[in-house]
Amino acid sequence: MSLEIKLRKLRERKGWSQMKVALQLNISQPAYNKWETGQTKPTLQNLQKIAEIFEIDFYDLIKEQISNVGFSNSSFGNNSDNPTFVIKAMNTKINYDLPDLIAEILENQQQMVKLMESQSKLIKDLLKK
């Protein structure tokens, strides 16, 4: 189920208007409407808030969005000291040794932190104007 359909169904299940959800998320109703119509996507921070207000697990909210990513451990149990993980995403296979996979995940996390810091700075600067 797409995120926009999931958002609409969660909202309707609670019997809430788009305005009520938007107020709880501290955003405008038109911004929320764009999420439900698939015109835009919520940020990770907003996805976390959505999971909280609808009282669902964050993973349950986004799992269909990341279902194209699969992890398999093809050499696990084959007497390998360094298992290989194959990540399949969008018809691309990438092989990682465990230390490389961890390093890649940490690098991605650091990039996300930098992006969030940039977004926060931009918002602060916009609020000052």
Side-chain angles (χ1 to χ4, degrees):
M1 178 185 321
S2 67
L3 180 62
E4 53 267 20
I5 291 171
K6 188 174 280 193
L7 290 174
R8 181 178 50 80
K9 288 185 179 258
L10 287 167
R11 178 181 57 79
E12 289 173 348
R13 198 173 296 145
K14 292 275 192 181
W16 294 345
S17 67
Q18 287 186 349
M19 179 60 82
K20 182 170 182 165
V21 175
L23 288 172
Q24 291 184 63
L25 295 169
N26 201 26
I27 61 169
S28 68
Q29 182 275 329
Y32 181 79
N33 179 273
K34 287 181 180 182
W35 297 347
E36 275 198 17
T37 58
Q39 296 174 38
T40 60
K41 301 285 184 202
T43 63
L44 286 173
Q45 186 176 19
N46 282 325
L47 286 169
Q48 183 73 31
K49 288 180 186 177
I50 290 166
E52 289 172 12
I53 67 165
F54 287 121
E55 300 172 327
I56 63 169
D57 184 69
F58 179 77
Y59 178 74
D60 289 339
L61 180 64
I62 65 164
K63 67 183 171 188
E64 284 87 6
Q65 313 314 306
I66 59 172
S67 64
N68 290 334
V69 178
F71 293 96
S72 69
N73 188 351
S74 59
S75 65
F76 185 78
N78 293 336
N79 296 325
S80 175
D81 291 334
N82 201 6
T84 301
F85 291 83
V86 179
I87 298 177
K88 301 173 190 172
M90 293 181 263
N91 298 323
T92 304
K93 285 186 179 181
I94 305 169
N95 292 318
Y96 286 104
D97 289 333
L98 184 57
D100 294 337
L101 178 60
I102 292 170
E104 187 73 23
I105 291 170
L106 291 173
E107 175 63 29
N108 287 342
Q109 291 285 335
Q110 290 170 349
Q111 290 176 5
M112 288 177 15
V113 167
K114 287 178 185 176
L115 178 61
M116 290 170 57
E117 288 171 348
S118 296
Q119 287 177 338
S120 294
K121 185 181 182 307
L122 178 61
I123 291 169
K124 286 177 186 177
D125 290 344
L126 289 172
L127 290 174
K128 290 179 184 176
K129 293 182 179 185

